[in-house]
Amino acid sequence: MKRVEYPSGIRDLIAQLKRMPGIGPRSAERIALWLVQSCDARPREIAKTLLIAADTVRPCGNCGFFTVGDICEICADETRSVDSICVVELATDILPLERTSVFRGRYHALGGRISPLDHVGPEDLRIRALLDRVKSGRITEVILALGADVEGEATANYLAGLLREFPITISRIAQGLPAGGGLESADELTLSRALTGRTKMQS
Ligand SMILES: [Zn+2]
């Protein structure tokens, strides 16, 4: 006997939802059924919002944070200090640091970290853009806020080597971050302490 399945519309929806991070087959099925059954679902609104977000949100041309214009809210904020840059691996690392309210300078997201095993080399990251910013700006300090794992270490050391030629202080956020974890997984207090207790790599 032929096994009965949901109609193709629901099956396709489940297949699309399953591709999303953190959504397993059970959740995908639950969400798909809610979308087609519930009067609260407002599928047209969801579809419209999804398209608008996907079409308009892009990385800031300066720091790599999310924006709908050319420059993000942080880079456009003239009340923020322009003499220090906090370097992070990913754009998603910026908001956890922002929430600590310890740092009031600008950011620079590299777009990853050096990881030979994953075939990510320095040329794959926004390192040239960082050097250009340091060169052209009134930068006095670069804070390296990279993960506490091997790749984070290697990336920090590589950057410190390149930045040595500039008359700036290079510091590294204090350890105490979860070993092997990125900034995303750290709580606010740990991040705030790590920023306040940053140590000079060289000046
Ligand atoms: Zn920006």
Side-chain angles (χ1 to χ4, degrees):
M1 201 164 63
K2 194 167 172 278
R3 214 172 122 208
V4 178
E5 289 285 354
Y6 289 118
S8 65
I10 295 179
R11 286 206 312 270
D12 294 347
L13 188 52
I14 292 173
Q16 291 297 341
L17 290 166
K18 261 201 306 205
R19 295 171 46 227
M20 297 177 186
I23 300 191
R26 294 284 294 267
S27 303
E29 185 175 328
R30 207 159 1 115
I31 297 169
L33 293 172
W34 175 78
L35 281 169
V36 295
Q37 273 184 321
S38 168
C39 46
D40 289 336
R42 300 196 292 273
R44 272 183 192 80
E45 242 171 87
I46 294 175
K48 201 172 125 202
T49 312
L50 181 64
L51 285 175
I52 291 175
D55 290 343
T56 60
V57 177
R58 65 184 107 165
C60 167
N62 200 32
C63 72
F65 187 58
F66 305 94
T67 180
V68 285
D70 293 332
I71 293 293
C72 75
E73 204 182 315
I74 299 171
C75 289
D77 183 351
E78 286 176 7
T79 66
R80 300 182 72 107
S81 140
V82 289
D83 50 17
S84 52
I85 293 184
C86 180
V87 179
V88 294
E89 286 171 19
L90 302 171
T92 47
D93 292 334
I94 292 177
L95 278 187
L97 287 168
E98 265 307 277
R99 291 192 188 114
T100 67
S101 306
V102 173
F103 181 70
R104 295 294 297 157
R106 311 292 169 110
Y107 292 93
H108 189 92
L110 295 171
R113 68 262 181 89
I114 299 170
S115 174
L117 283 179
D118 301 314
H119 308 288
V120 180
E123 65 288 348
D124 300 312
L125 305 175
R126 296 180 65 247
I127 293 177
R128 172 58 44 201
L130 171 65
L131 297 181
D132 288 345
R133 285 180 75 185
V134 173
K135 230 177 269 175
S136 61
R138 287 176 284 151
I139 312 296
T140 57
E141 183 180 16
V142 170
I143 303 166
L144 302 173
L146 306 170
D149 50 7
V150 181
E151 288 92 353
E153 284 297 316
T155 310
N157 290 331
Y158 179 81
L159 290 178
L162 292 178
L163 292 166
R164 200 168 290 148
E165 61 168 295
F166 300 101
I168 54 169
T169 300
I170 303 165
S171 53
R172 177 113 207 250
I173 57 168
Q175 299 305 313
L177 292 169
L183 299 195
E184 266 178 305
S185 52
D187 63 273
E188 225 166 272
L189 186 60
T190 307
L191 272 180
S192 147
R193 281 184 185 147
L195 258 175
T196 317
R198 64 183 179 267
T199 48
K200 266 187 200 172
M201 292 178 84
Q202 67 202 40
S203 62

